[in-house]
């Protein structure tokens, strides 16, 4: 029984990590490939491509950290390995 719970736990944790890595690649690399075309759009005098490359990615990474912590805590609680508060 414990073995099945361990497999479910690691499967969910691995899937969460794969999603996080895919998002990291997208916002860390893919978005930056489109900086030049996005620079034609101006927001408050700044080119959108510059803003997305410098500020947007950082904001997304911080949001991803909080989302990951919450999602991993949910997985931990479902599988009975959460830390006691």
């Amino acid at each position: 029984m414990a073995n099945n719970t361990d497999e479910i736990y690691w499967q969910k944790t691995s899937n969460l990590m794969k999603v996080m890595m895919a998002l990291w690649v997208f916002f860390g690399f893919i978005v930056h490939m489109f900086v030049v075309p996005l620079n034609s759009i101006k927001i408050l005098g700044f080119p959108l491509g510059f803003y997305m490359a410098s500020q947007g990615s950082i904001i997304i990474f911080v949001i991803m950290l909080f989302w990951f912590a919450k999602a991993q805590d949910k997985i931990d609680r479902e599988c009975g390995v959460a830390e006691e508060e």
Side-chain angles (χ1 to χ4, degrees), residues 32-48:
H32 295 255
M33 291 180 188
F34 298 99
V35 168
V36 174
L38 289 174
N39 278 339
S40 62
I41 302 169
K42 305 277 186 202
I43 296 180
L44 299 173
F46 293 101
L48 180 61

Side-chain angles (χ1 to χ4, degrees), residues 16 51 84:
L16 177 61
Y51 178 78
E84 296 296 322

Side-chain angles (χ1 to χ4, degrees), residues 1-50:
M1 185 73 128
N3 191 21
N4 189 29
T5 304
D6 290 345
E7 289 177 20
I8 292 169
Y9 175 78
W10 285 112
Q11 181 183 7
K12 288 182 176 185
T13 299
S14 295
N15 288 340
L16 177 61
M17 187 58 65
K18 289 173 188 173
V19 168
M20 294 302 292
M21 290 300 293
L23 289 171
W24 179 78
V25 167
F26 179 76
F27 288 107
F29 295 102
I30 305 299
V31 169
H32 295 255
M33 291 180 188
F34 298 99
V35 168
V36 174
L38 289 174
N39 278 339
S40 62
I41 302 169
K42 305 277 186 202
I43 296 180
L44 299 173
F46 293 101
L48 180 61
F50 169 77

